Amino acid sequence: MELADRAVGFLLTLISLSIFTYYTFWVIILPFVDSDHFVHQYFLPQEYAILIPVFTGVALLCFLSVFIGFVMLKSKKKKA
């Protein structure tokens, strides 16, 4: 089981590092590259650099709120 946990941890770290590198390059470095450079075809327009994290955060907060509400309702039914 220890090897499986290490593999999952390594995979999650690799995915997180890849997303961080892509987003950092997209937001910080790409605005300084000429707009006709070929590297621009690998990235979405700059507006999405704000919209994607905002929508992800709102979805996460909604999921968390529903989960907490569900747990509160379930614990209230156990007491009654």
Side-chain angles (χ1 to χ4, degrees), residues 60-79:
L60 184 65
L61 282 174
C62 289
F63 174 74
L64 189 61
S65 299
V66 168
F67 177 74
I68 290 173
F70 178 72
V71 169
M72 289 173 63
L73 285 175
K74 195 171 181 179
S75 68
K76 190 175 184 180
K77 287 182 183 179
K78 279 187 178 179
K79 289 181 181 179

Side-chain angles (χ1 to χ4, degrees), residues 33-55:
V33 178
D34 292 332
S35 59
D36 58 344
H37 198 270
F38 77 93
V39 79
H40 279 277
Q41 68 185 356
Y42 299 112
F43 295 92
L44 293 172
Q46 286 294 108
E47 304 83 58
Y48 291 107
I50 301 298
L51 292 176
I52 290 173
V54 166
F55 285 138

Side-chain angles (χ1 to χ4, degrees), residues 1-59:
M1 190 67 172
E2 184 178 320
L3 184 61
D5 290 342
R6 292 182 106 194
V8 169
F10 180 74
L11 184 65
L12 288 174
T13 303
L14 188 66
I15 291 170
S16 298
L17 189 60
S18 299
I19 291 172
F20 176 77
T21 304
Y22 179 86
Y23 188 78
T24 301
F25 188 82
W26 182 24
V27 172
I28 296 175
I29 297 173
L30 200 62
F32 297 108
V33 178
D34 292 332
S35 59
D36 58 344
H37 198 270
F38 77 93
V39 79
H40 279 277
Q41 68 185 356
Y42 299 112
F43 295 92
L44 293 172
Q46 286 294 108
E47 304 83 58
Y48 291 107
I50 301 298
L51 292 176
I52 290 173
V54 166
F55 285 138
T56 303
V58 168

